[in-house]
Amino acid sequence: MKQACSIPARAGIGLKPSHYRDALDSVGTIAWFEVHAENYMGAGGAPHVWLERLRSNFPFSLHGVGLSLGGAEALDQEHLANLRTLIDRYEPGLVSEHLAWCRRDGLFFNDLLPLPLNEESLDVVARHVEQTQEALGRRILVENPSSYFAFESSTLEEPEFLSELCERSGCGLLLDINNVYVSACNNDFDAETYLGKIKAEQVGEIHLAGHAVEHLEDGETLRIDDHGSHVCDAVWGLFEKFAGRCTGVPVLVEWDTNVPSLSVMLEEASKADRILTQVSSH
Amino acid sequence: MQNGDGDTLGKIVGDDSKFSRRFSVYRNNVYHSLTVALSDAYPVVKRLVGDDFFLAMARTYLDGGGFPVHAPLYDFGKDFPDFITGFAPAESLPWLGDVGRIERAWLQAYHGADAESGGMNLEALSSGDAERISGLRLVFHPSLCIEQLSWGAFEVWEARGGEGVAGMKVEARKNFIVAARGMDGDVRVGSFGEGVFDFFERLHNGKGIMAAAGDMDVSVVGEVLGGLVRLGAVIGVEE
């Protein structure tokens, strides 16, 4: 089920509608882009016109946020079929989803919600990933989530869970280093130790993004994964270290709220590219 | 999730107060993202009532069963205009729901299906040959969307809820709007009087112009046809 990834091992950007026009004027400066699959599931109109133009100019990846791979319920077959239609039409270089759930009792929550990590949930998620890859006719990448709490019923550490998921289902890992850092700070574990347990050969893409720091009433600090600012220094540091032992993988800078100009996002991508060049020359 | 009891999630590491603080991050994210989605779909309504009022109205809507059922959010908030019409705190703006209906029609036309081809024989409409014109059937853009309104809310929507709205007198007046994405990709919305609704419906259902018009005044027929062509709603004619 593996196929060659047409996405270069360079830093791309998450593309927002406000940047479509500028992006088409920037051919040569954007290595590749990623869009959210659910924004292109309408019947017709401007989103499709733009995606068609953009994909003829840049390699791109389709990133889903609505499949609910981590949900206890069966996958939404209609959603899977929509995803397949989109993939057949635009032929993205990569397709990815999340280790999270977002549907229950017929309602869609439009957020990436957490699940306990244990043998039972691993069975469910592995089955869902297999069904997805079967329905899409291709391998997908699954992204580690940001979390704000840990479950008592979790018996597996996240890197272990993800590695086993890749083994069982044949999927790859979309390693979001900002998510690792956010979860580590919120749940008192060490991000470097986490990254040390990630098997580099399972990683098919790396995400970088900014997050918000919120001070709660009781003095507790919580990091919120809002993709609304520059990548923080700690995350750059983790990335540099990890990239040193995981070469040849595409990197993506996400910025989804308080979206800046395209040039700011491209500067952020250039920074990631410089790190990639640096570590590969060592 | 909505009740926040977290029963379905099982226990988390830490005490109860920590749980409720951390859990509320997820709950806030859910409400925030859905409220943003509603704001994006109903920008004029939001501008008319202000951010805080809109937020409270959206929250009440969501808690009253407004949660989406599909991952793509195209249909989410479809019945928000009906909810607005019945929302007691907004009763001083009885036409607000109709503004929402226009916004919904605009959005549906924006994402509606593409036309396979356009411009077929459109020149026949302006041929001046009355006999030929009366036998024509109109081909509409598949993105076309119709909404019947009880208030003259079109002008409020057209002013995008801006400063010009303050002096406007919005009348209780049955009318309907047609929204369509023309072959140029732009969505346009036009307002029509209730008196020509049946005519429009017959045209939309594929009746020929003369059969649809019946004994209507020729100048009114011309006005409606001209209006639909200018909107880009008519992409062709069949003889």
Side-chain angles (χ1 to χ4, degrees):
Chain A
M1 210 181 264
K2 272 195 180 185
Q3 56 260 313
C5 168
S6 64
I7 308 229
R10 289 183 52 203
I13 54 166
L15 199 59
K16 311 309 290 179
S18 56
H19 295 148
Y20 288 162
R21 205 172 290 275
D22 288 346
L24 283 175
D25 292 336
S26 311
V27 175
T29 57
I30 301 176
W32 65 282
F33 71 94
E34 187 163 279
V35 288
H36 287 178
E38 286 72 12
N39 294 340
Y40 300 87
M41 288 182 177
H48 289 286
V49 173
W50 283 111
L51 188 54
E52 185 57 53
R53 283 187 205 159
L54 290 159
R55 72 168 292 280
S56 344
N57 285 282
F58 313 99
F60 92 106
S61 158
L62 206 54
H63 190 46
V65 294
L67 197 51
S68 206
L69 286 174
E73 297 181 350
L75 294 178
D76 179 346
Q77 294 301 316
E78 190 186 325
H79 191 70
L80 261 183
N82 287 339
L83 207 49
R84 173 74 196 234
T85 304
L86 206 52
I87 289 166
D88 287 347
R89 180 168 175 186
Y90 295 109
E91 302 175 320
L94 285 171
V95 176
S96 52
E97 250 289 351
H98 295 84
L99 177 62
W101 63 275
C102 50
R103 280 181 63 242
R104 196 188 150 86
D105 297 334
L107 298 181
F108 173 64
F109 293 103
N110 202 35
D111 193 26
L112 301 166
L113 300 166
L115 54 145
L117 304 179
N118 52 40
E119 288 298 335
E120 189 190 357
S121 60
L122 181 57
D123 279 347
V124 172
V125 182
R127 194 166 64 242
H128 284 167
V129 172
E130 280 162 12
Q131 289 166 351
T132 300
Q133 296 183 137
E134 187 66 37
L136 303 182
R138 62 184 291 161
R139 182 181 186 236
I140 64 165
L141 303 179
V142 177
E143 178 178 343
N144 58 297
S146 288
S147 53
Y148 305 114
F149 56 55
F151 291 93
E152 274 183 0
S153 54
S154 285
T155 54
L156 296 169
E157 287 185 18
E158 199 169 279
E160 192 185 356
F161 186 99
L162 290 165
S163 171
E164 191 59 28
L165 179 65
C166 292
E167 287 281 325
R168 284 200 206 175
S169 69
C171 75
L173 176 60
L174 196 179
L175 180 68
D176 189 315
I177 296 184
N178 178 59
N179 287 356
V180 172
Y181 183 70
V182 164
S183 298
C185 294
N186 290 340
N187 297 306
D188 305 319
F189 66 80
D190 181 55
E192 257 190 86
T193 310
Y194 178 113
L195 289 174
K197 292 176 184 164
I198 293 292
K199 294 179 180 159
E201 67 277 13
Q202 291 179 331
V203 179
E205 182 185 340
I206 293 173
H207 270 185
L208 299 171
H211 64 262
V213 181
E214 206 168 284
H215 300 284
L216 303 181
E217 288 163 17
D218 59 348
E220 197 181 23
T221 299
L222 206 58
R223 287 176 194 263
I224 312 284
D225 178 34
D226 68 347
H227 298 181
S229 54
H230 287 279
V231 177
C232 76
D233 288 344
V235 170
W236 281 123
L238 291 169
F239 170 58
E240 192 171 340
K241 215 160 193 180
F242 187 78
R245 68 178 187 90
C246 182
T247 51
V249 170
V251 177
L252 186 94
V253 177
E254 296 178 289
W255 203 319
D256 294 313
T257 53
N258 308 319
V259 179
S261 68
L262 182 65
S263 60
V264 170
M265 293 186 62
L266 289 175
E267 278 166 30
E268 204 77 336
S270 299
K271 192 169 173 180
D273 265 335
R274 282 196 297 276
I275 292 174
L276 289 178
T277 311
Q278 233 173 60
V279 297
S280 66
S281 62
H282 279 292
Chain B
M1 190 74 199
Q2 286 161 276
N3 300 329
D5 55 14
D7 278 353
T8 58
L9 291 176
K11 285 213 156 185
I12 71 138
V13 178
D15 58 29
D16 285 352
S17 69
K18 180 175 173 184
F19 170 79
S20 81
R21 286 194 306 274
R22 302 292 180 99
F23 184 82
S24 68
V25 175
Y26 289 105
R27 192 172 45 216
N28 292 345
N29 282 351
V30 168
Y31 277 107
H32 176 73
S33 78
L34 293 175
T35 306
V36 167
L38 276 181
S39 314
D40 289 347
Y42 297 98
V44 179
V45 168
K46 186 181 176 190
R47 192 164 176 200
L48 286 164
V49 299
D51 292 358
D52 291 346
F53 191 98
F54 189 88
L55 195 70
M57 189 159 70
R59 178 82 190 216
T60 312
Y61 169 72
L62 290 170
D63 285 341
F67 266 73
V69 293
H70 292 298
L73 293 174
Y74 299 111
D75 285 337
F76 169 54
K78 216 172 183 171
D79 60 352
F80 190 51
D82 293 344
F83 169 83
I84 295 172
T85 300
F87 188 58
E91 67 184 1
S92 62
L93 305 176
W95 39 266
L96 191 63
D98 274 357
V99 175
R101 284 178 191 95
I102 302 173
E103 296 202 271
R104 169 55 53 180
W106 187 95
L107 195 64
Q108 263 175 258
Y110 183 80
H111 289 294
D114 295 318
E116 278 172 21
S117 55
M120 306 96 76
N121 300 324
L122 259 183
E123 69 288 348
L125 265 183
S126 46
S127 64
D129 179 345
E131 203 174 319
R132 185 179 175 201
I133 293 172
S134 64
L136 298 175
R137 283 192 310 276
L138 305 184
V139 179
F140 291 94
H141 195 287
S143 68
L144 183 135
C145 195
I146 312 146
E147 278 291 342
Q148 288 182 278
L149 310 178
S150 305
W151 295 83
F154 180 73
E155 287 72 23
V156 178
W157 174 82
E158 217 178 14
R160 300 296 186 271
E163 283 161 16
V165 170
M168 271 182 200
K169 185 166 167 24
V170 186
E171 293 174 332
R173 167 169 55 84
K174 290 212 180 299
N175 66 106
F176 71 101
I177 57 107
V178 173
R181 194 176 71 244
M183 294 308 291
D184 59 358
D186 289 338
V187 176
R188 294 182 196 83
V189 184
S191 160
F192 298 85
E194 190 199 15
V196 298
F197 183 74
D198 290 343
F199 172 51
F200 172 78
E201 278 279 277
R202 287 192 289 268
L203 287 174
H204 194 215
N205 290 334
K207 279 240 159 63
I209 291 174
M210 188 151 97
D215 56 2
M216 276 174 69
D217 191 290
V218 174
S219 66
V220 177
V221 170
E223 237 170 72
V224 175
L225 294 181
L228 291 172
V229 171
R230 277 193 300 279
L231 286 178
V234 178
I235 57 170
V237 295
E238 289 170 353
E239 306 248 0

